[in-house]
Amino acid sequence: MPKMKTNSSAKKRFKLTGTGKIARKNAYKSHILTKMSTKRKRALGHTSMVSDADMGNVKRMLCIGK
């Protein structure tokens, strides 16, 4: 059987943490930022965790698990 291929876009966007969770960047931080408050822009700079509902799809794209 051939090897499973990792989704190229997913490996650039997600990172596996030490505890097995998957970290992701926040959206809405690329352009048209003048109307957004400084507090909001600062909060979007931090990483977030992938939700449980999306975890299966992301793990499948990253070839993690089964």
Side-chain angles (χ1 to χ4, degrees), residues 18-49:
T19 56
K21 296 177 183 174
I22 300 174
R24 64 170 177 86
K25 289 276 205 168
N26 286 310
Y28 311 112
K29 191 74 183 2
S30 58
H31 63 105
I32 315 176
L33 299 173
T34 52
K35 62 179 82 172
M36 198 182 290
S37 70
T38 308
K39 182 179 180 181
R40 183 76 183 124
K41 287 186 278 193
R42 195 165 52 243
L44 288 173
H46 302 300
T47 56
S48 300
M49 296 297 146

Side-chain angles (χ1 to χ4, degrees), residues 2-65:
K3 291 182 181 178
M4 291 286 292
K5 282 195 175 179
T6 302
N7 185 297
S8 293
S9 61
K11 67 183 172 187
K12 296 169 190 170
R13 287 172 171 83
F14 300 106
K15 182 184 172 190
L16 195 64
T17 64
T19 56
K21 296 177 183 174
I22 300 174
R24 64 170 177 86
K25 289 276 205 168
N26 286 310
Y28 311 112
K29 191 74 183 2
S30 58
H31 63 105
I32 315 176
L33 299 173
T34 52
K35 62 179 82 172
M36 198 182 290
S37 70
T38 308
K39 182 179 180 181
R40 183 76 183 124
K41 287 186 278 193
R42 195 165 52 243
L44 288 173
H46 302 300
T47 56
S48 300
M49 296 297 146
V50 172
S51 67
D52 292 334
D54 298 323
M55 191 70 76
N57 289 331
V58 175
K59 281 188 173 182
R60 191 175 299 114
M61 286 190 287
L62 294 173
C63 298
I64 298 171

